[in-house]
Amino acid sequence: MPVSGGLLTQIAIGTVALYTLVTAASRAIGRLLALAEYYDVDEVLVGMTVLALGTSLPELSSHLVASLGILSGVLEYQVTSAVVIGGNTGSSTVQQLLLVGVLLIGYGTVHVSRRFVYESYLPMLGAIGATMLVAWDGTISRLDGVLLLGLYLIYVGAIITRRESTQSLREAPK
């Protein structure tokens, strides 16, 4: 079966794009971690923020496109909202279960501290519970969105204020 030149071109472009993406991501993360170390910000907080943003960008993009479609009148409000929120919820659930499952398969038993459970897993379960609570009546309103956003900001504020001061390996600027 002969392979066309167009297919080879597409494979080459895809390979270069993937290499560029991985290289750029590696450099960006390296620089973010260096900044975190320099400004004495917990590397775990930076890592979790990068991971959260990176895995949430497709959902954020779909919400933006759906919102613009609803506002312009091209998309129906109820159907589009249900599809986007359902897709977001399903994607987040799969990511959490898949990542933990792959981690455990790859590394076997993982020992986590109580602090990690309290600071990571309990807030995640609380967020799921809060989302289910505001959606219990079959609608999620702007007020519900404000409430969920407020809970998120409280969580981020608590993480930042409770972080332990780490010793920087870099010298302080003179």
Side-chain angles (χ1 to χ4, degrees):
M1 173 180 196
V3 178
S4 69
L7 177 62
L8 290 176
T9 302
Q10 290 176 351
I11 290 172
I13 291 171
T15 302
V16 169
L18 183 61
Y19 173 78
T20 304
L21 178 68
V22 170
T23 303
S26 176
R27 288 183 182 169
I29 289 171
R31 290 182 179 169
L32 281 171
L33 290 175
L35 278 171
E37 184 179 330
Y38 182 77
Y39 287 106
D40 195 29
V41 174
D42 190 8
E43 290 179 353
V44 173
L45 179 63
V46 173
M48 289 182 74
T49 303
V50 168
L51 180 65
L53 288 175
T55 58
S56 296
L57 280 178
E59 287 84 6
L60 292 171
S61 301
S62 67
H63 281 281
L64 178 64
V65 169
S67 296
L68 292 174
I70 290 168
L71 289 174
S72 67
V74 175
L75 298 174
E76 185 180 337
Y77 170 74
Q78 288 182 326
V79 173
T80 305
S81 297
V83 168
V84 172
I85 290 172
N88 190 342
T89 305
S91 174
S92 295
T93 303
V94 167
Q95 286 175 18
Q96 291 163 8
L97 296 175
L98 180 64
L99 289 175
V100 171
V102 168
L103 175 75
L104 292 174
I105 289 170
Y107 291 102
T109 303
V110 175
H111 299 284
V112 294
S113 67
R114 283 187 190 266
R115 179 177 176 198
F116 179 78
V117 171
Y118 288 133
E119 290 182 359
S120 297
Y121 283 109
L122 289 182
M124 182 176 63
L125 292 174
I128 292 169
T131 304
M132 289 176 61
L133 187 64
V134 299
W136 192 259
D137 62 354
T139 62
I140 301 176
S141 67
R142 282 192 178 115
L143 181 60
D144 296 336
V146 168
L147 174 69
L148 293 173
L149 179 62
L151 289 172
Y152 172 74
L153 293 175
I154 289 169
Y155 168 71
V156 170
I159 290 274
I160 290 172
T161 57
R162 284 190 310 191
R163 73 179 174 89
E164 292 179 359
S165 179
T166 57
Q167 225 177 12
S168 178
L169 297 177
R170 297 176 186 249
E171 291 182 17
K174 296 178 181 179

